[in-house]
Amino acid sequence: MTRPSGRNPDEMRHISFERNFTMHAEGSVLVSFGDTRVLCNATVESRVPRWMKAQDKKGGWVTAEYGMLPRSTNMRMGREAARGKQGGRTMEIQRLIGRSLRAAVDLEKLDGFTITVDCDVIQADGGTRTASISGGWVALHDAIQSLIVDGRINAVPMLDPVASVSVGIFDGTPVLDLDYAEDSNAETDMNVVTNSKQGLIEIQGTAEAAPFSDTELQAMMQLAHKGIGEILEAQANAIGD
């Protein structure tokens, strides 16, 4: 089986994390998964959501927002702000990003602070949500480091690093890190989020054509763990740990 990109079935696209990409955010990263590029900015605020105050809930909060620039795809898409509301896909993706990043933080140690990670897709070629989660973790790490350096929190709230990758079945073969040409024609499409200990945080899998078997599921999960291992290594190299 030949993939459109010429990659082997278990081969990732080139991954990079460019930190401090913007000057104002406490954490800012341009993440690239091949030709997919997402700008992740993490903002620290000295407040917590109203629902936490209403419940007298201690700790802090981590949330995310996601959006695609109008010409991030091969044809211009209208801005959701111009339509007056977010689409269902956007809301589902940003909730996934938020859940995934909260799994990387001990929220009790983030007491009194909210960190919002904005993920803006500059260029889309498949895997924008997995790139957002993986880059969002690096931006979140840097934002929390700024709180520690400034002495605004006393304990390190970071838990295990978190990363995400897509897998699927393309042309009858399990493959890793689908680009758009594969994603748009895959028989099965799956997104996997884990921590550095291979603890599963979320799995989103759909049979686009025929149902997939347990054997194919296991093959895709093995590919996902391999790919996430490479992403985690790239994250560690980027932050210097």
Side-chain angles (χ1 to χ4, degrees), residues 13-14 77 83 91 99 105 134 152:
R13 293 174 287 181
H14 176 70
M77 65 178 72
R83 296 197 294 269
M91 294 179 67
R99 289 193 300 270
V105 179
S134 302
R152 300 173 73 186

Side-chain angles (χ1 to χ4, degrees), residues 42 63-64 84-85 147 191 196:
T63 188
K85 66 176 182 178
L147 286 171
N191 300 296
S196 60

Side-chain angles (χ1 to χ4, degrees), residues 55-212:
Q55 297 178 16
D56 196 25
K57 189 174 179 63
K58 303 299 182 184
W61 191 244
V62 173
T63 188
E65 293 191 11
Y66 168 95
M68 298 182 69
L69 297 185
R71 202 56 209 272
S72 59
T73 56
N74 58 359
M75 296 181 65
R76 185 185 187 278
M77 65 178 72
R79 297 182 189 271
E80 290 183 321
R83 296 197 294 269
K85 66 176 182 178
Q86 291 179 312
R89 175 183 180 274
T90 296
M91 294 179 67
E92 182 265 321
I93 291 175
Q94 67 186 28
R95 287 170 180 163
L96 168 65
I97 299 168
R99 289 193 300 270
S100 300
L101 296 180
R102 283 193 292 276
V105 179
D106 183 343
L107 294 174
E108 289 187 2
K109 295 178 180 177
L110 199 63
D111 192 30
F113 293 97
T114 293
I115 300 179
T116 302
V117 181
D118 290 293
C119 300
D120 293 293
V121 179
I122 296 173
Q123 185 169 278
D125 186 37
T128 61
R129 72 188 71 193
T130 57
S132 295
I133 292 167
S134 302
W137 180 85
V138 178
L140 176 63
H141 167 276
D142 287 355
I144 288 177
Q145 282 297 114
S146 75
L147 286 171
I148 296 169
V149 170
D150 293 344
R152 300 173 73 186
I153 56 176
N154 298 319
V156 178
M158 295 299 286
L159 300 173
D160 295 314
V162 166
S164 178
V165 76
S166 65
V167 289
I169 298 175
F170 176 75
D171 198 18
T173 301
V175 295
L176 174 64
D177 188 24
L178 283 68
D179 57 25
Y180 178 76
E182 294 169 329
D183 185 45
S184 58
N185 292 285
E187 292 102 84
T188 298
D189 179 24
M190 182 179 294
N191 300 296
V192 180
V193 188
T194 80
N195 62 22
S196 60
K197 297 177 181 176
Q198 295 192 352
L200 292 168
I201 296 169
E202 188 144 352
I203 301 174
Q204 296 180 334
T206 304
E208 303 288 353
F212 53 93

